[in-house]
Amino acid sequence: MPTYRVGYFVGSLSSTSINRVLSKALIRVAPSDLEFTEIPIGRLPLYSQDYDDDYPPEAMDLKAAIGRSDAVLFVTPEYNRSIPGALKNAIDWASRPWGQNSFDHIPAAVIGASVGSIGTAVAQQSLRAVLSFCNARQMTAPEAYIQFSPEVFTDDGGIAKESTEAFLTEFMREFRVHIERVLTVLPRQ
């Protein structure tokens, strides 16, 4: 059985991000043949087409990290009913310059947590639209809108509620199946 390398993005730059906690929980319950590496986005300058002929090192590192990944996982909060600016900025860098889109045909999944009951549903729809334009091969089900509670999630990624752990385990199992299916048809170079 192959090991798949998953690059994951945490959409929040906050040191106390609940989505970072969620990412730890997802890694904890993921199938053992998935290997995770966070793709950092906090040091990227704001994207401008002026850089297309001379990418800065931070953007080159971003594109290289995606290139080393077999799939990507987006774990994101919702800011003002959309995705955080830092995450959109990273996607803009990775998808440019024209003809060098790092997300083309890559297997991708989207999940997020918020303290509110809609659990990032609107942000995920916004992100899915952007990823569709970038030609990422998105896992469409199960959808996962997580309402975060410190009684359920520990800072190190532990999950205290059995039904939440079972749901996240199934989400990651489905993601693993999705990765294999996409890569069988569209192998990464």
Side-chain angles (χ1 to χ4, degrees):
M1 191 186 288
T3 297
Y4 295 111
R5 298 164 303 201
V6 177
Y8 69 97
F9 294 87
V10 176
S12 172
L13 300 181
S14 171
S15 63
T16 60
S17 169
I18 61 176
N19 282 278
R20 182 165 308 287
V21 173
L22 176 59
S23 72
K24 292 175 187 177
L26 293 168
I27 292 168
R28 184 176 276 206
V29 299
S32 61
D33 60 343
L34 297 182
E35 178 184 294
F36 293 88
T37 303
E38 183 174 356
I39 300 175
I41 62 174
R43 299 205 184 277
L44 289 165
L46 291 176
Y47 172 75
S48 169
Q49 187 174 343
D50 295 343
Y51 291 113
D52 280 0
D53 291 329
D54 188 23
Y55 256 40
E58 299 88 352
M60 294 299 290
D61 291 345
L62 171 78
K63 290 178 79 65
I66 296 167
R68 289 189 299 272
S69 302
D70 296 310
V72 290
L73 174 64
F74 293 87
V75 187
T76 187
E78 184 170 294
Y79 289 2
N80 299 319
R81 298 286 190 245
S82 189
I83 59 176
L87 180 56
K88 177 62 166 70
N89 186 52
I91 293 168
D92 290 345
W93 277 112
S95 65
R96 301 288 299 194
W98 186 256
Q100 298 176 37
N101 173 14
S102 297
F103 295 119
D104 189 43
H105 294 302
I106 196 166
V110 175
I111 190 170
S114 74
V115 295
S117 60
I118 64 169
T120 73
V122 181
Q124 288 188 42
Q125 291 307 310
S126 179
L127 178 55
R128 289 177 186 281
V130 173
L131 293 175
S132 290
F133 180 80
C134 292
N135 208 28
R137 301 297 168 209
Q138 298 177 64
M139 182 174 81
T140 56
E143 293 180 330
Y145 312 118
I146 308 303
Q147 184 173 15
F148 185 88
S149 167
E151 292 80 35
V152 175
F153 294 94
T154 61
D155 288 344
D156 65 351
I159 307 168
K161 188 174 178 183
E162 193 172 302
S163 62
T164 300
E165 183 172 4
F167 176 79
L168 294 177
T169 300
E170 180 62 13
F171 179 87
M172 294 305 287
R173 190 189 70 73
E174 286 289 336
F175 184 39
R176 194 259 177 234
V177 169
H178 175 72
I179 294 168
E180 183 174 31
R181 285 181 178 158
V182 171
L183 294 179
T184 297
V185 176
L186 300 166
R188 300 278 290 159
Q189 307 312 357

